[in-house]
Amino acid sequence: MLTQDLNRHRMHRVTNFARHSSSEALTLDRLADVACLSRYHFARVFRDRCHETPIEFLARLRLEQAVTNLTYRSDMTVTDIALDAGFSSSQAFSNAFRRRFAISPRGYRQTSLTWQTSPAAPGNPVQLMTAPAKQLAYIRHRGPYVGAARALAARFHHLARWAMRHHLWTPEAEIICVCPDDPSITPPQFCEYDIGLTVPPGVREDSTISLRQIPAATFACQHVSGTPEDATKAWNWLCSTWLPHSGLNLAHHAFYEILAPEPRWFNSHQMQGYICIPVTGPASILTTAKPLSLNWH
């Protein structure tokens, strides 16, 4: 495998690890270990590929995850959120938060509450579903979500051709796109979107695809059919209106979209699929979840 491909896989593993790890694990030495590189070599490769230093990445990620918790984790106090993000105190967190967002964490949380409106559901109902762990072969898009249809289409067709060559384009395979960033928070040049296909064990990374694991989780899912703009509106409603009224909280797993087997939207700007957010909460609610079952009609 070429060095550039190997380094791409390494940096993907690092950013995936960082997004789903506790703050205690997010040290330069730990990230360098994940990349299987020396600390010096890791810092150089990360900066070259990701266009920010590892320190800048970790600082940005901690604040962005804190924003998510302020908005969607009503069960956490501001101090809990500060400590969870790795800050030594709520004051240190408040200072860093103000520098980036020009508002205090408490002020941001209060403002976010005004966005949460009626729980009435537009369009299709929300379903609680349990999904098993999955392995994805994926190609990553890095950059703005808005206006990215052509770039996403190119990556999807590249993935499809790879899967057909390896006899992995099967009726059982699911098209899953992982979207870990909130474009209203993350600077557009750093937003990531992984276009993936579920694959069995034994598949190896190569010059085309990387591999990632999606853990088993309970998801709130809503069927969406329409333009990418319709999907964006559905995402906003599901997170900002449905979730606060659901009695559930956001879980620390990947958000994703499951697309219909014939994802025409990559070419026609039309989407048919399910948007899925990971949730946690009282067993009395979670036990109503059913195994993930998709209906494309």
Side-chain angles (χ1 to χ4, degrees):
M1 188 182 300
L2 295 177
T3 299
Q4 62 183 13
D5 294 322
L6 186 57
N7 284 340
R8 170 168 54 84
H9 298 319
R10 285 168 167 163
M11 296 309 106
H12 285 191
R13 284 198 295 274
V14 166
T15 56
N16 293 345
F17 170 83
R19 289 181 183 280
H20 299 99
S21 297
S22 64
S23 59
E24 291 81 5
L26 299 182
T27 66
L28 285 181
D29 287 337
R30 183 69 183 98
L31 296 186
D33 287 343
V34 171
C36 298
L37 295 170
S38 70
R39 181 170 170 169
Y40 169 79
H41 195 192
F42 163 68
R44 182 176 62 81
V45 173
F46 189 95
R47 184 178 63 251
D48 289 346
R49 290 205 60 88
C50 301
H51 307 295
E52 58 184 337
T53 68
I55 293 295
E56 291 168 339
F57 166 72
L58 290 177
R60 176 174 64 79
L61 184 66
R62 284 173 171 142
L63 283 175
E64 290 172 3
Q65 291 178 339
V67 168
T68 298
N69 287 334
L70 285 169
T71 306
Y72 304 121
R73 291 295 304 269
S74 59
D75 58 323
M76 298 179 72
T77 67
V78 171
T79 299
D80 290 338
I81 291 170
L83 298 177
D84 184 68
F87 290 91
S88 58
S89 67
S90 57
Q91 186 59 53
F93 171 54
S94 181
N95 292 340
F97 198 94
R98 281 181 178 274
R99 283 195 297 271
R100 169 141 181 210
F101 298 108
I103 189 173
S104 70
R106 285 182 173 82
Y108 187 96
R109 168 170 270 181
Q110 187 59 42
T111 300
S112 72
L113 292 176
T114 66
W115 302 339
Q116 298 169 9
T117 56
S118 166
N124 299 300
V126 177
Q127 304 172 66
L128 286 184
M129 298 184 180
T130 57
K134 303 171 188 290
Q135 177 173 251
L136 294 187
Y138 69 93
I139 298 177
R140 175 164 293 176
H141 166 76
R142 199 163 194 263
Y145 289 172
V146 176
R150 181 173 297 181
L152 295 179
R155 285 164 176 75
F156 169 74
H157 290 300
H158 198 188
L159 176 67
R161 288 192 294 270
W162 171 88
M164 291 174 186
R165 285 199 309 272
H166 292 82
H167 307 290
L168 294 169
W169 190 266
T170 66
E172 295 77 24
E174 295 177 325
I175 302 164
I176 295 181
C177 298
V178 181
C179 31
D181 294 306
D182 182 341
S184 69
I185 301 170
T186 303
Q189 68 271 27
F190 297 133
C191 287
E192 296 178 348
Y193 187 88
D194 294 344
I195 300 175
L197 187 78
T198 54
V199 294
V203 174
R204 295 187 176 184
E205 295 179 323
D206 58 24
S207 60
T208 299
I209 60 96
S210 298
L211 293 173
R212 66 176 298 161
Q213 305 296 320
I214 296 180
T218 299
F219 291 88
C221 302
Q222 187 179 31
H223 183 261
V224 176
S225 180
T227 66
E229 289 74 21
D230 293 327
T232 297
K233 291 177 183 177
W235 273 116
N236 290 339
W237 177 85
L238 188 61
C239 293
S240 298
T241 300
W242 179 86
L243 183 61
H245 293 90
S246 68
L248 299 171
N249 287 300
L250 199 63
H252 193 52
H253 294 298
F255 287 48
Y256 58 71
E257 299 169 341
I258 308 176
L259 302 184
E262 296 295 334
R264 294 167 296 170
W265 75 277
F266 281 111
N267 287 327
S268 65
H269 307 293
Q270 294 292 310
M271 173 188 175
Q272 182 183 179
Y274 286 80
I275 58 175
C276 303
I277 62 171
V279 293
T280 185
S284 59
I285 301 177
L286 295 182
T287 52
T288 65
K290 299 178 180 179
L292 185 64
S293 178
L294 306 176
N295 180 5
W296 301 114
H297 305 290

